Amino acid sequence: MEYESHHLSAAMQTGLGVYFFLVALMNAAFAHYCYRQRQDPVQSAIWLGVALLFAVHGVAFITHMDLVMPEAIKELVNDVMNPVSYFVIAVLGLVAFLVWRRFFTDPIVAWTILQVGLLFSGWSMTDYTFQQIITKPDNVPIVMLIFSVGFFTWLPMRQAIINDDRLARGEPPLEKLEEDKVLVWPDLVYTELICMVICTFALIVWAITLKAPLEQPASSSRIPNPSKAPWYFLGLQEMLVYFDPWMAGVVLPTFIIIGLIAIPYIDFNVKGNGYYTFVERKFAVSTFLFGFVVLWVVLIVLGTFLRGPNWNFFGPFEPWDPHKSVPLNNVNLSDYFWLYLLGDAIEGKGWLAREAPGIILILVYLLGLPPLLAKTIMRSYFIRMGFIRFFILVTLIQFMALLPIKMVLRWTINLKYIVFIPEYFFNI
Amino acid sequence: MAEPVAAGTIAEAGKAEAPAVKAAPAKPAAKPAAKSSPTRRIFIISTLFGSWFATAWTTFTASMIAMLLGTVRFLFPNVLSEPPSVVKAGSVSDYEEGKVDDKYKEFGFWVIRAKDERNRDIIYALSTVCTHLGCNPNWLEADKKFKCPCHGSGFRISGVNFEGPAPRPLERLAIRKTDDGFVLVDKSRKFQKEIGQWDDPDSYILV
Amino acid sequence: MALSEFIRGSQVWKSIFRHPAPRDRRNRVVVMLTNVFLHLHPVSVRKSGIALSYTWCMGGITFFLFLVETITGVLLMFYYRPTLEHAYNDILSLRDVATLGILRELHRWGAHAMVISIWLHMYRVFLTGSYKPPREFNWGVGVILLVLTLLLSFTGYLLPWDQLAIWAITVGSNMARATPLLGYEGPGAKLLQIGGVELIHSGSDARFLLLGGRFVGETALLRFYVLHCVAIPLAVALLIAVHFWRVRKDGGISGAL
Ligand code: HEM
Ligand code: FES
């Protein structure tokens, strides 16, 4: 089989060598920055050392020394990774980032994380499977997505922290300091021009180096395995594992769109308009980060890189074996309730009687929880927002929470449906 | 065609602007009548058609809605160039028990001979459309199951789902035996197990 | 020197640009007011509003990529026929036969980049709280633009008519089949009956409307082509105009009050 060839092609090794040299260069530049800007010779020396390390990598790969990632590490990563751990790590990562934001946004720390990431990515490319997946032309944008979302999460959080400190001291946010007006010509017009030139250049380089994919002509009898939606919808496709199409494909996307449009009307917080801040908008920013970074981007990455044939989960270095079989026998809530809990037969019951426990649960969740929250932990919100705003806010968050809730239920008690009425295609 | 109508209505609505002021007091006048029995209907009629102005706007809105609905209906084609729905699938004697072959997969079904729940020997046509999101499952001879490549649903040879996200069994298609022993499959009629349609004699051939 | 002075002094030049070069303050203002494209912008802006670290230039990049897509898309249309017979082969020949065979790449990678840049734009607008009053409406316009951008990418995905295309679209469009009430496998569709005749069946549901048929075939290809090349781009262009207009009318790019 193909994937058993552990040797790297010569071109790949040269490519990796160039890659490591570029990273070495980055670190040299950073060392220079530490020395000049931060006046910190110790840091500067450390990063020079790192640059040297990467340069050694570069030499090793360019001279085709056939280096590959140790099997033990690959196996460890494969063993640790599964849909549960992947998602849990992502959530914990976000929580840690928000709680220790001061630590994580420190330039030195952020740079260290980036370098570890680059080192690991470089070594990972020596793995055949990993390399096959990453270098698929349509997957390249997702690599870009990962790095740009990472960067554009770091940058605003760093600015937010600076602003939060200033606000705490009673000073205005940084944005306020540059109140004076400048003329659009030349200040803005030229920025735009330069930006366009850079983008055009980047796009042309990308178009020349990477061919757009074209597979076999369409055929309605041979179906590729796995069959994936376009990458930007893979978050939705991942939801299909947990929900029926009408939920994952219609109801939840509709709620996403409505929810996004509703944001300005339910966010009653007048602070934090026009500058980066975290402290003044903790709830809003955390919720949005959870929705965008974890429930959208992280799931896209999962769908692209870690879902293989038959939509099975594969570790990053695990060959995509179409015969891997994972039992997917899930149980409905009604089965749990009638068969296991009451020891009763399920067959003779009409759908209403049979599904009553699930239906009641859903109704309580959707209708009972909002008043309860209004009375208890979200009382201050309720008072400030009024009935309609509060109800919409809670409902939207509840729908967003449905996905993680269903995930956890699936992982823990192997639940398939909370409500199961195939007679009317109504399964939740 | 519809354009002039709409334009005309707008013009009318514009002209009606002045009388609208006069029309306003007409409403309280209608109120005493509203106390008597057929109140609500009169109220609706008088708001919609109580003045020339109201009538014009009502007509305008109604014709806009009609145009919109007409456009939506236009988008549903009346003639389809899709292949005919009845397919001849060999003769009854071609089929062996428990064998699945992909001969008719491109037409959208498998013809299978197997024992049913009541242990009768039957032939049925199973749709190749996964009940999850419509990919085409593959028959895995080793595991004796249909496995969908898209999200991993599994179906037994009978079409009943037993793993993965598919919410219900594959559908069966109308099938019958001609007098000279041929099998005809009609793709336009579907039979779903969960609503008891597999008991319909049109959904299988008794061997 | 002399030549440029001659050109600038000519009647033709003056008929186009009605004021001297924008070298002094006055003319830098005038140029913004007299040029139809430049007057998308105000004459002057707050310095903080256009700082790269503030806007990341993502809205601008999205707009730029939309223009790139429009231009490359029009060029591709000269060679592409949306029929079962030709579609795949036309794409092949765009790669193998056409001179400058990177137009398809430019178009495809541009589309991917646009999806990323529009997400990042939304991300920054959220994180700066720029959707707050008075910009609520423009945020809404933006969300519609986001949906339309994804639909543009999605409809374009089918056009090469290869295995990747039809199966991605099959899976995607099958979701329409599950629309509540309006899809024939959606919850409640069975309830819409008149005298025992089902109103919603595979020949009358939401998916049928989208594909113009019961499966992803020639009619679907034509529909996606028209949506991709005409209908959605027009809607996006219109909404971008509204979006830009509102950025200005809502007081320019947001900033601390
Ligand atoms: C085709 C898509 C879009 C284009 C071309 C576009 C373009 C732009 C541009 C050029 C600006 C000026 C400031 C900047 O560059 O950040 C802007 C501002 C803005 N955009 Fe967009 N945008 C698009 C989609 C969106 C989306 C998806 C959203 C949000 C859901 C959005 C919401 C806003 C808001 C609220 C502003 C005002 C922000 C401020 O004043 O700071 N836009 N847009
Ligand atoms: S389409 Fe078959 S499992 Fe999703």
Side-chain angles (χ1 to χ4, degrees):
Chain A
M1 289 211 127
E2 282 178 291
Y3 55 73
E4 276 163 9
S5 65
H6 286 298
H7 279 282
L8 280 175
S9 70
M12 194 68 219
Q13 297 203 34
T14 315
L16 274 175
V18 174
Y19 165 85
F20 278 118
F21 272 124
L22 285 177
V23 180
L25 218 61
M26 273 170 67
N27 279 293
F30 191 70
H32 180 73
Y33 158 85
C34 286
Y35 189 71
R36 271 292 162 82
Q37 233 76 27
R38 301 174 67 99
Q39 313 275 342
D40 191 342
V42 182
Q43 283 294 340
S44 182
I46 294 179
W47 294 110
L48 263 184
V50 174
L52 205 66
L53 179 76
F54 278 114
V56 171
H57 276 81
V59 174
F61 279 99
I62 264 184
T63 52
H64 297 185
M65 284 173 61
D66 272 338
L67 291 178
V68 289
M69 196 175 202
E71 287 299 318
I73 297 187
K74 289 192 204 171
E75 263 159 39
L76 181 74
V77 173
N78 284 343
D79 287 346
V80 169
M81 284 292 205
N82 61 52
V84 184
S85 64
Y86 176 82
F87 190 77
V88 171
I89 290 174
V91 173
L92 291 182
L94 180 67
V95 173
F97 177 72
L98 291 180
V99 173
W100 292 297
R101 52 188 184 280
R102 219 165 271 279
F103 171 74
F104 280 110
T105 53
D106 181 81
I108 300 284
V109 176
W111 186 262
T112 313
I113 295 175
L114 177 67
Q115 297 316 310
V116 172
L118 289 175
L119 182 70
F120 190 71
S121 320
W123 276 104
S124 300
M125 288 300 279
T126 61
D127 178 73
Y128 184 80
T129 315
F130 188 86
Q131 178 197 321
Q132 288 295 301
I133 301 170
I134 292 284
T135 52
K136 252 206 194 147
D138 263 356
N139 288 351
V140 171
I142 297 148
V143 180
M144 277 171 49
L145 181 72
I146 296 175
F147 282 101
S148 53
V149 168
F151 177 71
F152 284 122
T153 304
W154 169 78
L155 180 69
M157 190 52 90
R158 176 160 170 76
Q159 284 168 292
I161 287 173
I162 297 175
N163 276 343
D164 289 342
D165 288 347
R166 296 180 62 90
L167 290 165
R169 288 195 301 266
E171 296 166 18
L174 282 179
E175 282 84 351
K176 180 93 178 164
L177 296 185
E178 298 185 315
E179 270 298 72
D180 47 331
K181 293 211 160 191
V182 291
L183 285 181
V184 167
W185 185 298
D187 278 55
L188 180 55
V189 181
Y190 273 86
T191 316
E192 286 172 347
L193 181 69
I194 294 167
C195 187
M196 283 199 281
V197 171
I198 294 175
C199 287
T200 314
F201 180 75
L203 204 58
I204 290 177
V205 171
W206 187 3
I208 291 175
T209 47
L210 207 65
K211 277 275 152 219
L214 189 63
E215 297 193 354
Q216 295 295 305
S219 142
S220 55
S221 55
R222 274 175 302 112
I223 181 166
N225 186 4
S227 269
K228 294 189 176 182
W231 62 267
Y232 35 83
F233 286 147
L234 284 183
L236 296 180
Q237 199 171 349
E238 186 61 25
M239 296 206 291
L240 285 169
V241 175
Y242 302 96
F243 286 108
D244 265 15
W246 73 278
M247 280 295 285
V250 185
V251 174
L252 292 176
T254 311
F255 268 89
I256 296 177
I257 297 170
I258 295 178
L260 282 174
I261 295 183
I263 286 177
Y265 303 99
I266 48 182
D267 183 355
F268 59 90
N269 182 358
V270 290
K271 285 191 206 146
N273 182 349
Y275 51 94
Y276 291 101
T277 171
F278 180 73
V279 172
E280 291 187 344
R281 310 170 55 208
K282 271 188 182 156
F283 180 69
V285 171
S286 316
T287 317
F288 194 81
L289 281 179
F290 181 69
F292 178 67
V293 178
V294 176
L295 290 186
W296 193 251
V297 176
V298 162
L299 287 190
I300 286 177
V301 174
L302 168 66
T304 318
F305 297 141
L306 306 176
R307 289 285 182 189
N310 301 329
W311 212 246
N312 279 328
F313 185 95
F314 290 84
F317 310 113
E318 189 179 345
W320 282 15
D321 172 11
H323 300 290
K324 172 173 178 174
S325 103
V326 180
L328 294 170
N329 298 315
N330 307 315
V331 187
N332 295 326
L333 185 71
S334 47
D335 293 334
Y336 272 118
F337 188 77
W338 297 111
L339 292 179
Y340 300 148
L341 199 65
L342 301 184
D344 202 352
I346 204 163
E347 257 71 46
K349 297 195 167 56
W351 61 265
L352 191 60
R354 183 186 71 218
E355 299 303 326
I359 296 176
I360 292 174
L361 212 63
I362 293 283
L363 286 180
V364 167
Y365 178 69
L366 286 181
L367 300 176
L369 205 53
L372 192 70
L373 287 175
K375 283 249 165 70
T376 55
I377 38 176
M378 293 182 85
R379 197 179 156 75
S380 63
Y381 277 77
F382 180 68
I383 291 168
R384 275 182 290 168
M385 294 176 81
F387 177 74
I388 296 181
R389 277 204 178 83
F390 180 79
F391 197 80
I392 294 177
L393 170 73
V394 174
T395 308
L396 287 173
I397 291 183
Q398 281 180 314
F399 268 85
M400 183 161 126
L402 271 181
L403 179 62
I405 291 178
K406 190 89 193 270
M407 284 175 154
V408 170
L409 287 176
R410 176 68 57 84
W411 301 332
T412 50
I413 62 169
N414 206 14
L415 184 81
K416 181 160 185 184
Y417 293 122
I418 301 173
V419 176
F420 175 63
I421 313 177
E423 291 88 338
Y424 292 98
F425 302 121
F426 189 88
N427 308 325
I428 301 175
Chain B
M1 286 308 285
E3 288 261 351
V5 178
T9 341
I10 292 172
E12 237 171 83
K15 263 186 261 156
E17 201 95 51
V21 185
K22 272 183 226 154
K27 265 187 209 158
K31 258 201 180 153
K35 271 181 197 153
S36 56
S37 47
T39 49
R40 189 164 293 157
R41 189 174 305 162
I42 290 180
F43 177 71
I44 291 175
I45 290 176
S46 75
T47 20
L48 289 182
F49 299 101
S51 65
W52 284 115
F53 183 68
T55 313
W57 271 111
T58 310
T59 329
F60 174 68
T61 314
S63 46
M64 292 312 277
I65 293 175
M67 271 164 59
L68 187 73
L69 290 179
T71 315
V72 171
R73 178 60 188 85
F74 169 81
L75 290 173
F76 285 88
N78 291 327
V79 182
L80 287 181
S81 58
E82 291 181 353
S85 71
V86 179
V87 181
K88 209 172 185 180
S91 70
V92 172
S93 52
D94 292 350
Y95 296 102
E96 259 179 71
E97 196 173 317
K99 275 266 171 323
V100 176
D101 83 57
D102 286 347
K103 202 159 156 200
Y104 298 101
K105 198 173 173 189
E106 59 179 305
F107 294 97
F109 57 84
W110 293 285
V111 179
I112 298 163
R113 179 170 164 185
K115 288 269 188 317
D116 73 356
E117 291 155 357
R118 279 181 263 162
N119 214 20
R120 292 175 304 177
D121 190 7
I122 60 168
I123 293 183
Y124 51 88
L126 207 57
S127 160
T128 57
V129 178
C130 175
T131 50
H132 184 229
L133 274 182
C135 293
N136 297 359
N138 300 310
W139 175 250
L140 304 183
E141 184 60 41
D143 303 338
K144 292 273 179 232
K145 68 177 180 187
F146 294 102
K147 185 79 179 169
C148 184
C150 290
H151 318 97
S153 291
F155 306 88
R156 303 204 189 289
I157 192 168
S158 60
V160 172
N161 57 316
F162 67 96
E163 61 171 3
R168 57 199 184 84
L170 295 174
E171 287 165 355
R172 290 186 183 177
L173 306 175
I175 193 168
R176 73 190 163 85
K177 186 166 78 169
T178 58
D179 296 336
D180 42 0
F182 282 105
V183 175
L184 288 185
V185 175
D186 181 358
K187 293 198 289 171
S188 64
R189 287 181 64 205
K190 304 207 152 122
F191 298 88
Q192 294 166 225
K193 178 181 167 55
E194 68 280 8
I195 42 182
Q197 288 176 329
W198 283 7
D199 295 331
D200 191 318
D202 284 353
S203 72
Y204 57 86
I205 302 175
L206 266 182
V207 189
Chain C
M1 271 304 132
L3 182 63
S4 77
E5 257 157 46
F6 172 75
I7 293 176
R8 282 178 186 279
S10 71
Q11 188 185 355
V12 176
W13 181 271
K14 281 184 169 167
S15 74
I16 304 174
F17 303 105
R18 289 165 175 267
H19 56 88
R23 289 207 190 99
D24 52 29
R25 199 180 155 83
R26 188 192 120 82
N27 284 312
R28 283 176 173 171
V29 173
V30 175
V31 68
M32 299 305 297
L33 294 176
T34 52
N35 184 305
V36 67
F37 302 108
L38 290 180
H39 100 286
L40 273 177
H41 290 307
V43 170
S44 63
V45 286
R46 229 179 305 106
K47 208 167 171 186
S48 64
I50 58 166
L52 263 187
S53 62
Y54 185 70
T55 65
W56 314 341
C57 203
M58 277 303 160
I61 291 180
T62 311
F63 180 53
F64 168 73
L65 287 170
F66 179 70
L67 296 181
V68 169
E69 291 303 288
T70 312
I71 295 167
T72 53
V74 166
L75 291 170
L76 290 176
M77 279 173 81
F78 290 136
Y79 283 100
Y80 174 83
R81 287 162 288 182
T83 61
L84 295 195
E85 192 186 344
H86 297 300
Y88 183 77
N89 289 328
D90 285 350
I91 297 286
L92 264 187
S93 58
L94 272 169
R95 183 179 75 189
D96 300 335
V97 185
T99 315
L100 198 70
I102 62 161
L103 272 172
R104 196 183 150 226
E105 278 71 20
L106 284 177
H107 195 71
R108 194 181 185 97
W109 303 143
H112 285 340
M114 184 171 167
V115 172
I116 297 179
S117 69
I118 195 171
W119 287 352
L120 293 177
H121 173 56
M122 181 180 79
Y123 199 29
R124 99 85 187 144
V125 170
F126 185 90
L127 291 176
T128 53
S130 303
Y131 57 83
K132 299 189 175 194
R135 298 184 179 80
E136 307 102 305
F137 177 74
N138 215 14
W139 168 269
V141 173
V143 175
I144 309 285
L145 275 171
L146 174 74
V147 174
L148 287 177
T149 305
L150 291 181
L151 285 181
L152 258 184
S153 276
F154 184 66
T155 48
Y157 214 79
L158 181 65
L159 302 183
W161 203 247
D162 62 347
Q163 283 286 69
L164 204 62
I166 70 158
W167 288 109
I169 304 304
T170 301
V171 174
S173 66
N174 270 323
M175 296 191 198
R177 208 169 57 165
T179 318
L181 293 181
L182 298 181
Y184 92 106
E185 290 197 349
K190 286 248 164 63
L191 301 175
L192 295 182
Q193 297 188 342
I194 295 183
V197 181
E198 290 187 4
L199 292 182
I200 304 290
H201 49 80
S202 66
S204 72
D205 70 342
R207 177 168 192 262
F208 187 78
L209 178 70
L210 184 68
L211 300 182
R214 286 173 218 267
F215 51 84
V216 180
E218 184 139 37
T219 45
L221 181 57
L222 183 60
R223 270 177 195 217
F224 275 50
Y225 177 72
V226 173
L227 284 174
H228 184 75
C229 300
V230 186
I232 305 180
L234 275 180
V236 171
L238 201 76
L239 282 175
I240 289 184
V242 175
H243 195 63
F244 287 179
W245 174 253
R246 285 302 292 245
V247 171
R248 279 198 63 178
K249 290 293 142 180
D250 293 340
I253 294 172
S254 58
L257 294 170

